[in-house]
Amino acid sequence: MFNFEEELKKLPKEPGVYIMRDDRNVILYVGKAINLHNRVRSYFRENIGRGPMIDKMVSLIARFEYIVTDSELEALVLENNLIKENSPKYNTLLKDDKTYPYIKVTVGEEYPRILFSRVMKKDKSKYFGPYTGAAAVKDTIELLNKLYHLRTCNRSLPRDIGAERPCLNYHIKQCLAPCQGYIDREQYREQVNQALDFLNGNYNVILKSLESKMQAAAEELDFEAAAGFRDLYNSVKQVAQKQKITDSAGEDKDVIAMYRDDREAVVQVFFVRDGKLIGREHYYMTNVSFDSKAEILENFVKQFYAGTPFIPRELMLQCEIGDRELIEKWLTGRKGGRVYVRVPKIGSKEKLVELAAQNAKHILEQDRERLKREEGRTIGAVKEIAGLLGLEHIDRMEAFDISNINGFENVGSMIVFEKGKPKTSDYRKFRIKTVSGPDDYACMREVLTRRFRHGLEESKELEEKALEKEYGSFTRFPDLLMMDGGRGQVNIALAVLEELKIAIPVCGMVKDDNHRTRGLYFNNVELPIDTHSEGFKLITRVQDEAHRFAIEYHRSLRSKSQVKSVLDEIPGVGPARRKALMRHFKSIEEIKTADVEMLAALPEVNRRAAEEIYRFFHQS
């Protein structure tokens, strides 16, 4: 039993991070403190005006723990990491599922490529971005490859030069075929350098070059080539015009402002790169009911810049935030160069911040109706299902399905919905081990037994090792188990749960003769449901998703089993010989017509293997 009085006395007067947990060991809140002793004790004093949300959290705390750090800066970094990893219920959270597109130029390769990337790694490549639109990035990459005839293949050059025939891009004059040695390394590098100039914003040289090529082609009456250069010229001009100058200083900065209502806040960010406004993006912050504007912005800055790979030289904020100097120091360390956090008061910079705030207000007001509809489709639908079944609360639902064709490759699927939305990270696939033949009930028994037994074993291991981690996809059990079918499937699930001594409500999603969802089978009764309700639509989505996930897994196994060459059936022919044969002869028909001498002439095929291949194709 956790003794609060004793543990509070042990708190050190040092900087660090504290973690509040409930009676299920779930993290409720993560915070940092310059003095852990004073900060953590403050939660357990009475009548200090903390607000109802914090009071509610304190009432749920079953234990707390802390991690001492060497400095407040270390505590800030650790706090960010723990919040990002655990998404505690009572922390103000950035709802950020976005990953930003970058243009990656692999300058570390001898023959570089221009690639689309959502991850900025510390490698030898050059990255441009982040950009806010993936489509624009892909268009730009396509344009650059057309302009400079760069390779798009994954061949390892110069090692593979001449190993294979040139691809289609060479034949349609979109690649200079370095894979064949048709262009040397220095000439190819010059093409790459011009592409880098383009990405750095030096458009004039490119425009002049394209204009001169267009005129030269027209003078030689090569109107097709002239039209191609004209189209490229217009594309480059369009890209150049999209860059709106906002700051003559040409620096990188993010402009950040927000707008809030009672439940959520929207933070708007304008991305300014090299003095150009390249895009904007908005983010939702939750659990903001009792936070000030400054606290919301501070939480956003800490959480957002803990995860984004690019940090600009300056952040322009709507208002002053706490820990500004500490955050500047942290961001400077992450960037490897000085970072400033400022609040502009006058001039064009202040107007830009005001514009960001107006955009945030517009987005939140515009989304209110959408959010209300979304809540009806998700949380409202879950409440409707809970009411229909007479359950007090449903948060997590799990559904299972079996897929096979006449018992071939039996597989099972487990899908998870939380708060009415799919949680794909917790989806699981099962390849049936103990059942051969088309026996869906036996397959379902195996899947459920493996799922819940695995969960029990993981939970026991966590308890024995006192591991401090959030419940995973198996250790966390559902509030409702939804079976694809009626009484038979429900009884299988109940039998498995009873055998494992687990108490979870189980319902069956019953279909009619036309294979459409009809109602729920629960406690030996089929419950009809309004087919126009959000609850009914959610049940249908769950049922369809479980079926889709199982079918896709089964299809992938079937395709893998069918991807098999006839050469695999020949004794002595493995992957290396098969590849050598196909590379040399180009088709199975050519291999069939080859004699032993021709087959044995390949370095990878010895005389004995050549005889086996010939015998395989010519035996009666």
Side-chain angles (χ1 to χ4, degrees), residues 106-246:
T106 61
V107 293
E109 297 178 338
E110 290 200 39
Y111 293 88
R113 297 165 293 159
I114 301 177
L115 305 173
F116 179 95
S117 177
R118 287 194 179 273
V119 180
M120 191 165 115
K121 298 179 180 177
K122 291 185 178 180
D123 53 20
K124 294 180 181 178
S125 300
K126 280 191 176 181
Y127 290 85
F128 296 85
Y131 301 96
T132 56
V137 171
K138 290 174 182 176
D139 288 345
T140 302
I141 292 172
E142 184 180 357
L143 172 64
L144 289 172
N145 285 326
K146 283 183 178 178
L147 271 172
Y148 302 110
H149 310 294
L150 303 180
R151 72 186 185 103
T152 59
C153 63
N154 293 323
R155 296 176 185 177
S156 180
L157 303 181
R159 187 194 70 189
D160 292 342
I161 288 179
E164 298 181 39
R165 290 178 295 180
C167 67
L168 178 63
N169 281 354
Y170 167 73
H171 295 291
I172 61 176
K173 299 181 180 180
Q174 287 191 10
C175 178
L176 297 169
C179 63
Q180 302 301 307
Y182 295 164
I183 180 172
D184 63 34
R185 183 176 176 276
E186 287 70 28
Q187 290 174 311
Y188 188 87
R189 278 278 175 174
E190 180 57 35
Q191 297 292 106
V192 173
N193 289 336
Q194 290 183 48
L196 290 171
D197 281 344
F198 179 98
L199 290 169
N200 283 315
N202 300 327
Y203 304 112
N204 290 334
V205 174
I206 297 161
L207 288 169
K208 287 179 182 177
S209 173
L210 287 172
E211 189 173 17
S212 64
K213 288 179 180 178
M214 178 175 63
Q215 290 173 351
E219 288 172 3
E220 294 177 8
L221 303 182
D222 188 351
F223 299 115
E224 185 178 350
F229 288 126
R230 178 203 62 204
D231 293 342
L232 287 174
Y233 178 88
N234 291 334
S235 296
V236 173
K237 200 168 183 180
Q238 187 178 11
V239 170
Q241 288 174 344
K242 282 182 181 178
Q243 300 293 342
K244 179 182 176 183
I245 300 295
T246 59

Side-chain angles (χ1 to χ4, degrees), residues 18 93 98 110 126 342 346 351 368 524 541:
Y18 55 93
L93 297 176
K98 301 178 178 72
E110 290 200 39
K126 280 191 176 181
R342 294 174 172 143
I346 57 172
K351 288 179 180 176
R368 274 188 183 130
N524 296 316
R541 289 198 297 275

Side-chain angles (χ1 to χ4, degrees), residues 473-487:
S473 61
F474 278 154
T475 53
R476 187 174 175 198
F477 288 172
D479 302 303
L480 177 65
L481 198 57
M482 306 185 77
M483 308 305 298
D484 185 29
R487 177 181 299 176

Side-chain angles (χ1 to χ4, degrees), residues 355-369:
L355 182 62
Q358 289 173 13
N359 274 267
K361 179 180 179 181
H362 176 70
I363 289 163
L364 188 58
E365 290 178 344
Q366 188 180 55
D367 280 3
R368 274 188 183 130
E369 190 58 36

Side-chain angles (χ1 to χ4, degrees), residues 253-311:
K253 61 184 65 177
D254 287 352
V255 181
I256 305 169
M258 59 145 290
Y259 186 78
R260 64 176 299 171
D261 62 13
D262 294 337
R263 296 186 302 170
E264 289 188 308
V266 169
V267 178
Q268 177 79 57
V269 184
F270 289 165
F271 300 104
V272 179
R273 300 292 178 264
D274 195 26
K276 303 177 181 70
L277 179 63
I278 67 163
R280 64 179 185 175
E281 195 58 82
H282 65 272
Y283 306 86
Y284 282 93
M285 302 289 289
T286 59
N287 300 338
V288 299
S289 303
F290 301 97
D291 288 347
S292 65
K293 183 187 295 185
E295 288 171 327
I296 295 168
L297 284 176
E298 179 184 343
N299 281 311
F300 172 80
V301 168
K302 290 193 293 187
Q303 293 179 44
F304 180 72
Y305 292 101
T308 185
F310 182 84
I311 298 173

Side-chain angles (χ1 to χ4, degrees), residues 428-441:
R428 291 295 180 269
K429 303 169 183 173
F430 299 85
R431 195 166 184 173
I432 305 302
K433 300 176 180 178
T434 62
V435 183
S436 59
D439 189 340
D440 284 1
Y441 286 169

Side-chain angles (χ1 to χ4, degrees), residues 56-91:
K56 173 67 173 174
M57 181 196 78
V58 172
S59 71
L60 297 173
I61 296 173
R63 56 188 289 267
F64 64 79
E65 59 193 72
Y66 56 86
I67 303 169
V68 176
T69 60
D70 288 335
S71 66
E72 191 180 6
L73 179 60
E74 282 188 17
L76 182 144
V77 174
L78 180 57
E79 177 196 34
N80 277 333
N81 292 339
L82 290 172
I83 290 173
K84 188 84 173 177
E85 182 179 348
N86 297 285
S87 300
K89 181 178 180 179
Y90 288 92
N91 279 94

Side-chain angles (χ1 to χ4, degrees), residues 345-445:
K345 302 294 185 185
I346 57 172
S348 60
K349 291 183 178 180
E350 189 213 6
K351 288 179 180 176
L352 198 56
V353 173
E354 285 181 5
L355 182 62
Q358 289 173 13
N359 274 267
K361 179 180 179 181
H362 176 70
I363 289 163
L364 188 58
E365 290 178 344
Q366 188 180 55
D367 280 3
R368 274 188 183 130
E369 190 58 36
R370 180 188 61 80
L371 291 170
K372 187 182 290 185
R373 289 196 305 270
E374 178 68 17
E375 189 172 290
R377 289 182 68 249
T378 55
I379 297 173
V382 173
K383 288 180 178 176
E384 187 180 325
I385 294 170
L388 180 69
L389 301 177
L391 301 176
E392 188 174 323
H393 171 75
I394 298 175
D395 180 24
R396 180 185 176 97
M397 301 186 296
E398 290 182 9
F400 295 80
D401 195 12
I402 301 296
S403 180
N404 63 60
I405 296 180
N406 295 326
F408 173 75
E409 293 285 15
N410 283 311
V411 299
S413 70
M414 163 185 156
I415 63 121
V416 179
F417 273 56
E418 285 192 358
K419 295 181 172 61
K421 295 180 181 179
K423 188 178 182 183
T424 54
S425 60
D426 281 6
Y427 283 20
R428 291 295 180 269
K429 303 169 183 173
F430 299 85
R431 195 166 184 173
I432 305 302
K433 300 176 180 178
T434 62
V435 183
S436 59
D439 189 340
D440 284 1
Y441 286 169
C443 291
M444 186 60 74
R445 179 183 292 277

